[in-house]
Amino acid sequence: MNRGKGLILAMTVAFTAACASGGGGGMEEPAATGNRPTDNSFTNSAGVQLAQAGLTEGQEATAHYQAALTDAMEAVREDSTNPKAYLMAGQAAIGLEQWIRADSMFDRAESLYPPYEEQIASEREQGWVNAYNLGAEAMNAEDMDEALRMFEGADRLYQERPEARMALGSLYLREGNTEQAIEAYRGALAILSGPPPEGMEEEQIAGWEQDRQVAAFNAAQLLAESGSYNEAAEVLQGFMDDNEGQLDPATVLRGKVALAGFLAQGDRDEEAEALYEEILGREDLTSAEYFQIGIGFFNTGDYARAAEAFKEAAELNPYSRDALLNLVQSLYSQALDVEEMEETAQRNQRLNDIYDEIVAAAE
């Protein structure tokens, strides 16, 4: 019988936004397929305004981008099948930080003229860099609403980089929006599960691998907190399997402890207890690991093993109020089970011993 839901849990999620940079590479002339781009007075004028915007800053640049967008939209009205008009409208929209409009304009330009694909991918990535860096600045200035708008815009424009999704996971979590935080972390993990992009420096590769770990653990933990224990176990198990042999011992231990906890919460008691047995065979467990193991055993209804784990946690950290409180809870649940047994001298002595432990732990 699983009595009591009052165990104290713990979770930490951290994210720090740093500025991003774009990729390099020139553009090749695409093959002539689809609706060919054409020039007219409006696209010519838009091109001049975009060039001027690139040479200026602040309000002056904004005015040029606005003029370019106006000209590009006039070109669209004149010929709604001209892909160049949409391309230039997307470029101007990025300069105006209108990420959703830029996304739709690029989509339309590429659908009309598929050879634009490579150029638009480059435009999207550069727009992503702009939006992400603005989001990082806003986040570091603690303007979370603006940071959210920028990171959402970055991810709307370009879905091949994980950093904006990592930031969104942190921000959604801060707002208490667990569902969107899970989606953001899982989206980041989908990118990070692949190899790092070519040309990354050693420090960037290390950051990529660290983000992969953070995304996996956070997605799994949030899934568990929302009650999706088996899905949480699947995410974490997949991460552990995919990175077998690449994780340091501390991360492997942390992952196994968390995985066993998810299995226990998902009523997969045999799998959970087998994993706990494996973990308890280690000699490097800390108070934190014993604490999580105690929670796991408690969730499987093995209150005696839970009490042993919380006792170990309290001995390693005598100032852990939470470990002692959970020890009392586990001992009390164990006592209730013993009370239901047939009354014998052995049963009564066991019950007395447990209540003595409860008094000591409670004090």
Side-chain angles (χ1 to χ4, degrees):
M1 185 182 299
N2 192 334
R3 298 188 183 86
K5 299 295 183 182
L7 294 188
I8 298 169
L9 308 177
M11 172 187 164
T12 59
V13 178
F15 178 82
T16 302
C19 290
S21 59
M27 306 304 300
E28 296 182 2
E29 186 67 25
T33 60
N35 293 60
R36 288 192 60 83
T38 58
D39 281 311
N40 55 40
S41 61
F42 292 118
T43 59
N44 289 338
S45 179
V48 171
Q49 294 294 340
L50 288 170
Q52 289 296 315
L55 297 173
T56 55
E57 297 179 352
Q59 292 298 319
E60 186 177 356
T62 299
H64 285 301
Y65 281 125
Q66 186 59 61
L69 180 60
T70 299
D71 287 334
M73 296 311 296
E74 287 295 333
V76 168
R77 278 186 280 273
E78 184 174 274
D79 180 3
S80 63
T81 65
N82 183 2
K84 187 167 186 177
Y86 294 98
L87 174 65
M88 300 181 91
Q91 292 169 328
I94 284 178
L96 294 169
E97 301 173 13
Q98 297 179 11
W99 318 117
I100 295 175
R101 170 175 275 181
D103 174 58
S104 64
M105 292 296 104
F106 287 146
D107 277 349
R108 181 60 175 154
E110 189 174 337
S111 70
L112 289 169
Y113 190 58
Y116 266 158
E117 179 182 2
E118 186 177 350
Q119 180 179 354
I120 286 176
S122 179
E123 297 281 357
R124 284 181 178 278
E125 184 174 12
Q126 186 55 55
W128 181 97
V129 170
N130 295 346
Y132 180 87
N133 286 344
L134 289 168
E137 291 174 8
M139 194 171 186
N140 293 333
E142 299 188 2
D143 186 349
M144 299 307 172
D145 290 340
E146 181 69 1
L148 188 63
R149 185 177 80 85
M150 293 300 167
F151 290 134
E152 286 179 337
D155 195 55
R156 177 70 175 263
L157 274 175
Y158 190 68
Q159 291 85 41
E160 302 299 322
R161 295 186 61 160
E163 298 96 328
R165 292 180 180 182
M166 294 294 292
L168 286 170
S170 177
L171 288 171
Y172 290 140
L173 189 58
R174 182 188 178 103
E175 290 186 338
N177 193 332
T178 302
E179 186 174 339
Q180 283 190 278
I182 292 170
E183 183 180 352
Y185 283 126
R186 297 192 75 170
L189 184 60
I191 301 170
L192 291 160
S193 294
E198 293 183 8
M200 269 193 169
E201 297 179 359
E202 187 174 340
E203 183 179 347
Q204 293 174 309
I205 293 174
W208 180 277
E209 293 172 351
Q210 177 63 28
D211 281 348
R212 180 191 302 153
Q213 179 179 319
V214 171
F217 276 90
N218 284 2
Q221 183 66 52
L222 291 172
L223 282 165
E225 289 189 357
S226 65
S228 301
Y229 304 118
N230 290 322
E231 197 172 352
E234 181 182 342
V235 168
L236 191 52
Q237 183 70 71
F239 167 76
M240 301 284 286
D241 290 345
D242 290 345
N243 295 276
E244 187 176 6
Q246 301 176 29
L247 303 174
D248 61 79
T251 301
V252 172
L253 175 58
R254 178 187 170 210
K256 287 184 176 181
V257 171
L259 177 59
F262 300 151
L263 293 171
Q265 289 172 300
D267 295 327
R268 295 161 65 176
D269 294 352
E270 289 186 9
E271 294 174 79
E273 292 193 11
L275 189 50
Y276 280 131
E277 289 294 340
E278 176 188 335
I279 295 167
L280 287 169
R282 299 176 61 121
E283 297 181 353
D284 59 346
L285 299 182
T286 68
S287 175
E289 275 96 47
Y290 278 115
F291 186 90
Q292 294 300 326
I293 291 169
I295 291 173
F297 277 128
F298 192 96
N299 286 330
T300 67
D302 191 340
Y303 304 119
R305 298 293 298 277
E308 290 173 8
F310 287 126
K311 189 181 297 183
E312 290 283 355
E315 288 178 359
L316 288 170
N317 182 5
Y319 298 100
S320 174
R321 181 195 70 97
D322 294 346
L324 290 166
L325 186 59
N326 286 356
L327 172 58
V328 172
Q329 179 82 346
S330 300
L331 289 168
Y332 183 64
S333 296
Q334 184 184 355
L336 293 178
D337 277 351
V338 174
E339 284 185 352
E340 293 177 358
M341 296 178 180
E342 183 180 352
E343 187 169 350
T344 63
Q346 184 178 10
R347 171 261 193 192
N348 291 341
Q349 183 58 53
R350 184 181 175 193
L351 194 59
N352 287 336
D353 291 342
I354 293 173
Y355 279 123
D356 286 342
E357 288 187 75
I358 291 175
V359 171
E363 288 177 348

